[in-house]
C-alpha cells in the first residue's frame, strides 16, 4: 500500500556530517507550512493519477530536517489537511523524526493525541565528545531523558538513531551506547557509519586538519559489534542499517525497498509510482514562492527504464535480510537478466560474501559491511 513522506527542511543547527536539504533559519517556517498545506491539496489525486491500484495510505513519515521544530498547532494543521485529502488505514504507521532537545512530556503527549504512533529519535551518541564532533544540538542527558519520557507517555514503537566510527569512540563505549537503548526496551535501532560527504562542514574540517578523519577499520569493527550485540538481544537485522524486534520493523521503509508507490511532499522530497520518479527541487524559497504565488510545485521527473528498475531492486533487496528473489527477477525482468546477475555474482559467492539459497541471493554476515559495493557489481 502507498506511503507518504514529508520533508521538513529546518534545523536548530547544522550537524557537521549532514548533506540533506535544510536551513538553520526558521523565519520562513510559517510560509513553508502554508505552502505544504497547499501542496497536499494539489497532490490529493497523486496515486489515482499515477495508476496505483490501492490509494489507502499505509504509512506516513515526517522527516527532515527536524520536524519536531514545528509547533503543535502547525503539525495539527498538516495532519488535518492530510486526513481531509487522503484515506489512511486504521492502523497506519505514522512516524515523526524528533530531536531530544525539542521535546518535553507535554509535546510528546500532544503528538500521540494527533495520531503519531512511532517516534524516530535522533540520538546519534550518548558520548559528549561525539555530539560535539558532530555538532549536535542536544547533550547525552537530554537523550536519556527523552527516552524515559517517551516510554512514560505511552509510546511503544520507538526507533533511535546511532552513529558509529566517530574518531575516539572506543569499542566498549560504542557497545555501551547500544546497550543504553536495549536496556530501556527501545524496539528498533537505526545505526549508521559516520560518512564524510563532499562539501559538508566535516569534509572541510578534515581536509583543513581541524577535525580527526574517519577510520574505516574502526567503523567495520564497530559494525560487527553492533550486529553481534543486536542479534544477542533478539533484534532482527532486517536491513543493513536497521535492527528491529519482531513486529517493529519500519513499515514505511519496507515500502520503499519493496517498490511500493509513495508520495513525497516538501522541498527535495521524492515520489515514486508507476515506474516514474519525481522529486521536488531542493530550494525552500523556490518551493514556497511557486506554490503560494502560482499554485505550482517545482519538480523534475523521469521514467525509469527496465534496467534502472532492475538495478534499484538489486540495490534495495541485497540490503535486506530477505535478499534478491530470483523468481521475481526472472518473472519481471526476464531470464537473461537473471543469468547475467548470477554470472556476476560468482566471485562474491566464491568468497562467501553472497549466499545462494536456491531461491534468493543474500549477502552473508561476512559481506554485510560491503553490501552496496556487492550490489553495484551486479548492476546490469
Amino acid at each position: 500500500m502507498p506511503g507518504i513522506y514529508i520533508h521538513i527542511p529546518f534545523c536548530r543547527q547544522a550537524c557537521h556530517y549532514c548533506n540533506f536539504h535544510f536551513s538553520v533559519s526558521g523565519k520562513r517556517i510559517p510560509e513553508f507550512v502554508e505552502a505544504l498545506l497547499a501542496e497536499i491539496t494539489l497532490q490529493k489525486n497523486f496515486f489515482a493519477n499515477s495508476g496505483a491500484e490501492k490509494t489507502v495510505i499505509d504509512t506516513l513519515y515526517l522527516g527532515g530536517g527536524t520536524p519536531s521544530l514545528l509547533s503543535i498547532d502547525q503539525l495539527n494543521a498538516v495532519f488535518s489537511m492530510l486526513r481531509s485529502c487522503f484515506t489512511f488505514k486504521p492502523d497506519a504507521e505514522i512516524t515523526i523524526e524528533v530531536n531530544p532537545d525539542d521535546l518535553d512530556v507535554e509535546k510528546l503527549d500532544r503528538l500521540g493525541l494527533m495520531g503519531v504512533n512511532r517516534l524516530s529519535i535522533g540520538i546519534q551518541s550518548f558520548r559528549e565528545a561525539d555530539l560535539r564532533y558532530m555538532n549536535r544540538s542536544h547533550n547525552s542527558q537530554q537523550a536519556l531523558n527523552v527516552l524515559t519520557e517517551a516510554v512514560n507517555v505511552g509510546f511503544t514503537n520507538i526507533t533511535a538513531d546511532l552513529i558509529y566510527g566517530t574518531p575516539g569512540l572506543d569499542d566498549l563505549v560504542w557497545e555501551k551506547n547500544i546497550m543504553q537503548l536495549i536496556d530501556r526496551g527501545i524496539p528498533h535501532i537505526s545505526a549508521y557509519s559516520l560518512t564524510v560527504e563532499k562539501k559538508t562542514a566535516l569534509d572541510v574540517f578534515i581536509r583543513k586538519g581541524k577535525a580527526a578523519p574517519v577510520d574505516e577499520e574502526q567503523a567495520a569493527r564497530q559494525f560487527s559489534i553492533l550486529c553481534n550485540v543486536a542479534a544477542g538481544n533478539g533484534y532482527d537485522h532486517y536491513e543493513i542499517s536497521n535492527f528491529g524486534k519482531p513486529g517493529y520493523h519500519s513499515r514505511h521503509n519496507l515500502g520503499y525497498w519493496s517498490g511500493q508507490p509513495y508520495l513525497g511532499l516538501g522541498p527535495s522530497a521524492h515520489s515514486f509510482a508507476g515506474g516514474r520518479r519525481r522529486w521536488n527541487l531542493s530550494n525552500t524559497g523556490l518551493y514556497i514562492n511557486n506554490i503560494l504565488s502560482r499554485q505550482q510545485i517545482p519538480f523534475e521527473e523521469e521514467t525509469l527504464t527496465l534496467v534502472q528498475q532492475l538495478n534499484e531492486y538489486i540495490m534495495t533487496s541485497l540490503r535486506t535480510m530477505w535478499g534478491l528473489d530470483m523468481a521475481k527477477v526472472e518473472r519481471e525482468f526476464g531470464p537473461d537478466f537473471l543469468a547475467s546477475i548470477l554470472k556476476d555474482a560468482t566471485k562474491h559467492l566464491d568468497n562467501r560474501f553472497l549466499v545462494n539459497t536456491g531461491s534468493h541471493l543474500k549477502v552473508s554476515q561476512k559481506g554485510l559491511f560491503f553490501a552496496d559495493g556487492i550490489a553495484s557489481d551486479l548492476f546490469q
Side-chain angles (χ1 to χ4, degrees):
M1 287 186 176
I4 295 175
Y5 171 81
I6 299 180
H7 187 77
I8 311 295
F10 300 98
C11 290
R12 194 175 302 281
Q13 64 188 47
C15 298
H16 287 162
Y17 57 85
C18 183
N19 69 338
F20 293 137
H21 173 65
F22 69 93
S23 170
V24 294
S25 171
K27 292 181 179 179
R28 302 202 74 177
I29 288 180
E31 290 177 282
F32 163 76
V33 172
E34 184 182 355
L36 178 60
L37 297 177
E39 186 189 11
I40 294 170
T41 301
L42 290 170
Q43 294 283 54
K44 64 183 180 181
N45 295 317
F46 173 81
F47 294 108
N49 293 338
S50 63
E53 294 181 4
K54 298 179 180 179
T55 56
V56 179
I57 306 303
D58 183 48
T59 65
L60 169 64
Y61 193 105
L62 278 70
T66 312
S68 53
L69 279 180
L70 268 59
S71 71
I72 288 297
D73 287 344
Q74 289 168 334
L75 289 169
N76 257 325
V78 172
F79 277 75
S80 296
M81 184 63 76
L82 285 166
R83 289 193 172 100
S84 71
C85 293
F86 298 95
T87 301
F88 286 80
K89 287 182 64 179
D91 68 339
E93 178 190 88
I94 299 178
T95 306
I96 184 170
E97 291 183 353
V98 297
N99 277 350
D101 50 317
D102 294 328
L103 296 176
D104 55 28
V105 171
E106 180 182 1
K107 192 163 188 176
L108 284 165
D109 190 51
R110 295 285 297 278
L111 288 173
L113 289 173
M114 73 173 65
V116 173
N117 53 28
R118 185 172 184 267
L119 294 178
S120 177
I121 306 176
I123 289 174
Q124 316 311 352
S125 180
F126 295 98
R127 179 173 175 259
E128 295 296 343
D130 293 340
L131 297 174
R132 289 193 296 269
Y133 179 88
M134 293 183 276
N135 199 40
R136 295 292 294 172
S137 60
H138 69 275
N139 58 47
S140 59
Q141 190 58 55
Q142 288 173 313
L144 292 170
N145 290 345
V146 78
L147 289 173
T148 300
E149 291 169 351
V151 171
N152 288 343
V153 164
F155 282 98
T156 58
N157 197 351
I158 300 172
T159 180
D161 288 353
L162 293 177
I163 289 179
Y164 56 90
T166 52
L169 177 61
D170 178 84
D171 289 352
L172 291 176
V173 177
W174 166 236
E175 185 171 343
K176 183 179 178 181
N177 271 353
I178 304 167
M179 292 307 302
Q180 292 275 26
L181 300 177
I182 292 174
D183 288 344
R184 286 168 173 77
I186 304 305
H188 190 282
I189 300 170
S190 293
Y192 307 94
S193 176
L194 180 65
T195 302
V196 183
E197 302 287 354
K198 291 183 179 180
K199 298 182 181 181
T200 60
L202 184 58
D203 177 43
V204 174
F205 293 155
I206 290 175
R207 285 192 283 107
K208 291 185 176 181
K210 295 181 178 181
V214 174
D215 183 338
E216 291 296 330
E217 290 185 6
Q218 173 196 349
R221 188 175 65 249
Q222 292 179 350
F223 178 70
S224 180
I225 291 170
L226 168 66
C227 294
N228 292 333
V229 171
N233 285 276
Y235 289 75
D236 296 327
H237 189 185
Y238 71 99
E239 195 269 347
I240 294 297
S241 302
N242 289 277
F243 303 77
K245 290 289 185 74
Y248 289 95
H249 300 177
S250 168
R251 281 160 52 185
H252 187 80
N253 287 343
L254 287 171
Y256 289 154
W257 302 327
S258 63
Q260 294 297 310
Y262 56 88
L263 168 63
L265 301 165
S268 81
H270 284 60
S271 304
F272 174 79
R276 295 183 67 83
R277 180 193 291 117
R278 61 184 287 174
W279 56 96
N280 292 350
L281 299 184
S282 299
N283 186 316
T284 301
L286 182 67
Y287 171 85
I288 292 171
N289 296 337
N290 270 32
I291 292 178
L292 295 186
S293 64
R294 304 176 187 173
Q295 292 292 294
Q296 292 180 348
I297 305 164
F299 70 89
E300 295 179 355
E301 63 180 344
E302 65 177 344
T303 299
L304 300 181
T305 66
L306 188 66
V307 171
Q308 286 176 316
Q309 293 180 58
L310 173 58
N311 288 342
E312 287 206 356
Y313 176 66
I314 292 170
M315 174 63 76
T316 56
S317 65
L318 288 181
R319 289 182 61 90
T320 72
M321 69 180 189
W322 303 280
L324 181 146
D325 184 336
M326 291 186 283
K328 174 183 172 72
V329 171
E330 185 171 30
R331 181 177 65 253
E332 297 185 9
F333 302 100
D336 290 344
F337 276 127
L338 176 59
S340 179
I341 289 170
L342 290 173
K343 179 181 178 181
D344 293 338
T346 301
K347 68 176 181 179
H348 296 300
L349 291 166
D350 290 343
N351 64 21
R352 298 183 181 178
F353 278 13
L354 276 178
V355 175
N356 187 337
T357 69
S359 62
H360 290 73
L361 285 179
K362 297 182 180 182
V363 177
S364 67
Q365 183 72 28
K366 179 182 176 182
L368 280 175
F369 195 70
F370 312 101
D372 287 349
I374 294 170
S376 68
D377 286 346
L378 304 189
F379 285 172
Q380 299 303 295

